[in-house]
Amino acid sequence: MGRSQAAKAETHDRIVQIASERFREAGLEGVSVADLMKEAGLTVGGFYKHFATREDLVAEAVAHGQGAWLARTANAISEEEKPTIAELIDGYLSVAHRDAPGQGCVVGALVGEIARSRPQTRALFTEGLKDTLVLLIDRLRAAGNEGDNAMLRRTAISICSAMIGAIGAARAVDDPALSEEIMRSTAAQLKTLALPLEATRRPGVGGRQSPRSQVSK
Amino acid sequence: MGRSQAAKAETHDRIVQIASERFREAGLEGVSVADLMKEAGLTVGGFYKHFATREDLVAEAVAHGQGAWLARTANAISEEEKPTIAELIDGYLSVAHRDAPGQGCVVGALVGEIARSRPQTRALFTEGLKDTLVLLIDRLRAAGNEGDNAMLRRTAISICSAMIGAIGAARAVDDPALSEEIMRSTAAQLKTLALPLEATRRPGVGGRQSPRSQVSK
DNA sequence: TGTACATCAGTGAACGCGCGTTCACTGATGTAC
DNA sequence: TGTACATCAGTGAACGCGCGTTCACTGATGTAC
């Protein structure tokens, strides 16, 4: 079934998309090439018309997943539709996100395995993480945080670390009550970090804040 | 070489010990039974005199690693030798710990994979995490934090989440500067959370605090 | 104390399976005339 | 516009390899006499 370039690109993207989801669910080694191709409606052999090795797909899938999450969360939508930092934290540390790793954040699902991946995959991951920090800083400013970039960056990094660790632990833990407690406690703590002092004293903390300033990279 | 029960137990422990290290370094699927046995000075076949399946070893190794870390960090040593909460944070988020996952905390190295493990492994992991929280709460009190257990527990959970996420991200990231920044920024932020307000205003913050009270489970 | 025997931790070859990868082939499409 | 040909995405069987697990065997030790 020889096809046009456009058709090939579409197939390629479909494979990457499916792999990205399955990897987040089952781990980078948890799904076979054959299974992925089957889910894409194809057979094994064709895989190598699109990727030199399985590892190449891993790298692409990691990058795709991060890009998709960022796009969904912030980049592609208008300022009014962007989530506040509080909404972002609550969304990230939610039962829905915990239980749907395939649709969720790559970082939370795959950090451990990415640390053991080849350089290219780690490099792509690093770029995605940097973009995420920029996004978080932007949202911190939009929530009314003043102060220099260095300070906000420190806060953004802490928030990022805590969200990654909390969703990882919440998924690993056996006990549903503890799992929810980890998410709830961490989210509460992070929101006090993320919102400027005067905001935490007013009612409606955690609700939508009007953006005061915007930061572009 | 038929041996006594004591000798068998010793061999068993050696296998678990080695597995626990290697799993933290290479992931739960990253080392073969044959390699582990070889490192223990044995051959493959003997493995099944000690474990019914490889998965049984995984569960034991996870539990062993957590127990060892807890013991090393706190449980087995006298109050005077226990690290302060600030020392604990700095030690966890250090280059040394980042670069020696085999000697370090199981949680940070394996959360992602444990989430996909069988129930028994997750249950053992959960117990270890609960013990860690108790330890953290104890250290928070020893640092002079007042307040009810619920509040301290929330803080302990946040610290735990952030440390897990930060060390995971620091290991995954490609860029050495960013890696250290993640650890440093998170540690700094956590220490302001972990130390009571008056302590953060005095010089010597982050140094050893005299324990005021102790908490037993 | 000395001897014969049963036990069972450890051996190492072999088995079966799943997986990543290869390869000769197919047939629809784009292109040249 | 219609026809012949070259391209190449996709097929699916086959290959090789590594891994978890099994199994008949060994031989040092603990035990019964």
Side-chain angles (χ1 to χ4, degrees):
Chain A
M1 299 171 190
R3 287 283 147 72
S4 66
Q5 285 193 339
K8 181 177 183 185
E10 196 187 316
T11 302
H12 184 101
D13 290 350
R14 196 167 68 248
I15 299 170
V16 171
Q17 161 70 35
I18 290 167
S20 176
E21 277 194 41
R22 294 295 158 268
F23 288 161
R24 275 173 274 178
E25 289 166 2
L28 296 178
E29 313 293 326
V31 210
S32 70
V33 169
D35 282 348
L36 290 172
M37 290 301 279
K38 193 174 178 185
E39 191 175 341
L42 302 167
T43 56
V44 234
F47 181 82
Y48 296 88
K49 288 278 153 49
H50 292 280
F51 309 93
T53 70
R54 187 182 187 281
E55 293 229 54
D56 284 358
L57 172 64
V58 168
E60 268 199 57
V62 167
H64 168 87
Q66 275 180 304
W69 187 80
L70 276 166
R72 194 159 5 99
T73 306
N75 284 347
I77 32 186
S78 66
E79 179 64 28
E80 292 70 42
E81 285 171 336
K82 285 187 187 178
T84 63
I85 185 75
E87 287 169 348
L88 209 151
I89 291 168
D90 283 329
Y92 200 101
L93 297 178
S94 65
V95 172
H97 187 201
R98 181 196 65 191
D99 295 342
Q103 322 300 321
C105 172
V106 174
V107 191
L110 298 171
V111 240
E113 288 174 90
I114 288 169
R116 296 185 291 269
S117 296
R118 49 186 256 234
Q120 194 199 346
T121 307
R122 295 179 66 201
L124 290 167
F125 165 83
T126 305
E127 287 315 305
L129 194 68
K130 284 176 178 169
D131 293 344
T132 305
L133 289 178
V134 171
L135 161 70
L136 284 175
I137 293 169
D138 173 55
R139 293 294 84 199
L140 284 170
R141 276 210 195 284
N145 285 284
E146 318 273 325
D148 56 11
N149 246 325
M151 216 181 84
L152 288 185
R153 191 173 159 85
R154 203 184 83 167
T155 307
I157 288 176
S158 302
I159 291 175
C160 196
S161 297
M163 291 200 305
I164 295 170
I167 199 147
R171 281 176 181 149
V173 144
D174 196 51
D175 170 345
L178 179 59
S179 176
E180 290 199 41
E181 188 191 2
I182 289 169
M183 294 194 293
R184 239 183 308 110
S185 294
T186 307
Q189 187 75 70
L190 290 184
K191 280 187 279 186
T192 71
L193 267 188
L195 296 174
L197 270 185
E198 70 267 26
T200 66
R201 294 210 189 91
R202 276 191 249 123
V205 169
R208 183 175 286 272
Q209 308 273 326
S210 63
R212 290 193 196 170
S213 62
Q214 298 168 38
V215 156
S216 60
K217 187 172 187 177
Chain B
M1 303 175 187
R3 287 284 147 71
S4 66
Q5 284 195 340
K8 180 175 182 184
E10 198 187 314
T11 302
H12 183 101
D13 290 349
R14 197 167 66 250
I15 298 170
V16 172
Q17 162 69 36
I18 290 168
S20 175
E21 278 195 40
R22 296 293 157 268
F23 287 161
R24 275 173 274 177
E25 288 167 4
L28 296 178
E29 313 293 327
V31 209
S32 71
V33 168
D35 282 348
L36 290 171
M37 291 302 278
K38 192 175 177 183
E39 191 174 341
L42 301 168
T43 55
V44 235
F47 180 82
Y48 296 88
K49 288 276 152 48
H50 294 279
F51 309 92
T53 70
R54 187 183 187 281
E55 292 229 55
D56 283 358
L57 171 63
V58 168
E60 269 198 57
V62 166
H64 169 87
Q66 274 179 305
W69 187 81
L70 277 166
R72 195 160 3 100
T73 307
N75 285 348
I77 32 186
S78 68
E79 179 64 30
E80 291 72 39
E81 286 171 334
K82 286 188 186 177
T84 62
I85 184 77
E87 287 168 347
L88 209 150
I89 291 169
D90 283 327
Y92 199 102
L93 296 178
S94 65
V95 172
H97 187 201
R98 181 196 65 190
D99 295 342
Q103 321 301 321
C105 172
V106 174
V107 190
L110 298 171
V111 239
E113 288 175 88
I114 288 169
R116 297 186 290 268
S117 295
R118 49 187 256 237
Q120 194 199 346
T121 308
R122 295 179 66 199
L124 289 168
F125 166 83
T126 306
E127 288 315 306
L129 193 70
K130 283 177 179 169
D131 291 345
T132 305
L133 290 178
V134 171
L135 161 71
L136 284 174
I137 293 168
D138 173 53
R139 294 295 83 198
L140 285 170
R141 275 210 195 284
N145 284 284
E146 319 273 325
D148 55 9
N149 245 327
M151 217 181 82
L152 289 186
R153 191 174 158 84
R154 204 184 83 166
T155 307
I157 288 175
S158 302
I159 291 174
C160 197
S161 297
M163 292 201 304
I164 295 170
I167 199 149
R171 282 177 181 147
V173 145
D174 196 52
D175 171 345
L178 180 59
S179 176
E180 291 198 43
E181 188 190 1
I182 290 168
M183 294 193 293
R184 239 184 308 111
S185 294
T186 307
Q189 187 75 69
L190 290 185
K191 281 186 278 185
T192 72
L193 264 189
L195 296 174
L197 269 186
E198 71 268 25
T200 65
R201 294 208 190 91
R202 275 192 251 122
V205 168
R208 182 176 286 274
Q209 307 273 327
S210 61
R212 291 191 195 170
S213 62
Q214 297 168 40
V215 155
S216 59
K217 186 169 186 177

